[in-house]
Amino acid sequence: MASLLTTPAKREQPEEHGAWRNKTPAILTLERFMQDQTDPDNPNPSPKFHTGRLPNNRSGYGKPRLLLMGQRRSGKSSISSVVFHKMPPAETLFLESTARIQKDAVHSFMDFQVWDFPGQLDFLDPAFDVDNIFGEIGALIWVIDAQDEYLDALVRLNNTILLLQQHYPSINIEVFIHKVDALSEDYKFDIQRDIVQRTQDELSDAGYENAPVSFHLTSIYDHSIFEAFSKVIQKLIPQLPTLEGLLNILCSNSGMEKAYIFDCISKIYIATDSSPVDMQSYEICSDYIDVIVDVSEIYGWDRPGRATEQDECNDQEAESVIRLQNGMILYLKEINKYLVLICIMKEESIKKKGLIDYNCGVFQDALAQVFGLQRS
């Protein structure tokens, strides 16, 4: 991969995929709770590209599915609205409780689905088609309200994990210990330790000591929810080690301190170099995307094909440099209409901007080869 940063790579055209295949509908009991959001004008849209890992996919080509589950009022709909629909956190107070399964299709660098399950829905009931729910799942996200009594939630979580371990052992299980913004540092870590211990003890008693369960402290009022979703999405990207290797080479050859690849729509970072992630630097880079998007909306120019809301980051060859008060430099480079590269470097490194521009251009071409994408 080192040669990719010294020799421009030849661009390759992406392979064309076939049309989406219609999935077999669930049984009538599950169907009553589902909210179908298929576009009537285009019932079988053709996918652009796909990078997700589907450990249980038996129907061919499909979108990875993220399931949001948990008790009622635990914050599932608020999480989905803030991360994927850019709703201000304060406005989530007016969201109604979810009554049916909400299915959102997210079109980004990786097309996937987010299913928001109502807390009162007992999907373990034999009347439901469990295979239709978990058959193409990429990850199960279980949301626990840290400010409420969570013992009942843990019972349902453990029952769900045991079911998945028996029939779908490859599924990643992510536990979001949510609404921790109002808790003290000591108290929220005490809650996390208690939840982790209770869950591990229950799984150990059942003979599943190595279940793929991860725990995250989250809140919609800070960047922790985006950080948690970043880790969830990264597990669905089989090319992640390659991306990290490319970023390591880019940083070492360009004098960069840290580099991220962000999805500019959701502000989830899909990859970073191997150096430790500093939460403060991640927050700065995330806010940087908001600044660029807002400035582009004011001072940008209209171009053909830029008609949808999701194309707001689609400024051809978008590039920006910002100098922080501490002397560090933020460098942003567009990769395509979904992804941006954001690098943190010292002031002396930006003096070799020609080298940085060249290396970032070659990195962009290398990434296109990895994903099989066209350069926007």
Side-chain angles (χ1 to χ4, degrees), residues 328-345:
M328 300 298 288
I329 301 296
L330 290 181
Y331 174 91
L332 180 145
K333 178 75 172 179
E334 178 197 13
I335 296 176
N336 55 55
K337 69 178 181 178
Y338 298 115
L339 301 179
V340 293
L341 171 69
I342 301 183
C343 307
I344 303 175
M345 64 190 76

Side-chain angles (χ1 to χ4, degrees), residues 19-47:
W20 294 102
R21 280 183 13 178
N22 293 327
K23 302 183 181 68
T24 303
I27 62 174
L28 295 178
T29 307
L30 178 61
E31 198 174 33
R32 289 200 306 268
F33 289 92
M34 285 189 170
Q35 182 182 41
D36 191 6
Q37 298 181 353
T38 303
D39 184 358
D41 297 328
N42 188 16
N44 296 304
S46 298

Side-chain angles (χ1 to χ4, degrees), residues 149-184:
E149 176 60 49
Y150 52 77
L151 294 182
D152 290 341
L154 286 181
V155 172
R156 292 190 62 191
L157 169 62
N158 291 329
N159 291 336
T160 304
I161 295 176
L162 293 178
L163 171 69
L164 295 181
Q165 286 300 292
Q166 293 173 13
H167 303 285
Y168 311 97
S170 300
I171 292 177
N172 296 320
I173 303 167
E174 311 288 340
V175 180
F176 285 8
I177 304 173
H178 196 49
K179 301 182 182 180
V180 299
D181 50 279
L183 307 179
S184 65

Side-chain angles (χ1 to χ4, degrees), residues 177-335:
I177 304 173
H178 196 49
K179 301 182 182 180
V180 299
D181 50 279
L183 307 179
S184 65
E185 290 292 320
D186 293 337
Y187 187 50
K188 67 182 180 183
F189 285 116
D190 287 341
I191 290 179
Q192 183 182 27
R193 281 192 293 268
D194 183 53
I195 291 176
V196 171
Q197 188 63 49
R198 290 176 182 271
T199 304
Q200 290 179 345
D201 289 345
E202 185 72 22
L203 295 178
S204 179
D205 293 342
Y208 298 103
E209 297 182 354
N210 298 316
V213 184
S214 302
F215 299 85
H216 313 269
L217 294 171
T218 61
S219 171
I220 60 174
Y221 293 98
D222 56 31
H223 292 80
S224 60
I225 189 64
F226 297 96
E227 168 77 7
F229 258 104
S230 297
K231 295 179 179 179
V232 173
I233 295 298
Q234 287 171 19
K235 294 179 181 179
L236 303 179
I237 304 176
Q239 302 94 336
L240 183 62
T242 303
L243 300 182
E244 292 180 351
L246 287 172
L247 288 170
N248 286 335
I249 298 172
L250 177 65
C251 289
S252 63
N253 288 0
S254 305
M256 298 173 178
E257 301 289 320
K258 189 69 180 172
Y260 296 92
I261 302 175
F262 271 91
D263 172 31
C264 64
I265 296 174
S266 64
K267 296 191 298 184
I268 292 173
Y269 73 92
I270 68 167
T272 183
D273 62 280
S274 58
S275 62
V277 175
D278 177 26
M279 208 42 201
Q280 184 177 9
S281 68
Y282 166 72
E283 292 175 1
I284 292 175
C285 293
S286 180
D287 293 338
Y288 188 16
I289 294 177
D290 288 333
V291 173
I292 296 301
V293 169
D294 291 342
V295 171
S296 298
E297 287 298 306
I298 298 173
Y299 298 104
W301 63 94
D302 294 329
R303 290 188 297 277
R306 191 184 178 192
T308 63
E309 184 176 294
Q310 289 189 340
D311 286 335
E312 59 186 0
C313 293
N314 192 20
D315 290 337
Q316 185 178 7
E317 299 299 331
E319 180 183 314
S320 174
V321 177
I322 290 182
R323 180 176 287 101
L324 303 177
Q325 290 183 346
N326 61 3
M328 300 298 288
I329 301 296
L330 290 181
Y331 174 91
L332 180 145
K333 178 75 172 179
E334 178 197 13
I335 296 176

Side-chain angles (χ1 to χ4, degrees), residues 4-5 242-243 246-247 250 261 335 341 358-368:
L4 293 174
L5 294 174
T242 303
L243 300 182
L246 287 172
L247 288 170
L250 177 65
I261 302 175
I335 296 176
L341 171 69
Y358 175 79
N359 283 345
C360 288
V362 178
F363 173 84
Q364 186 175 357
D365 291 335
L367 196 66

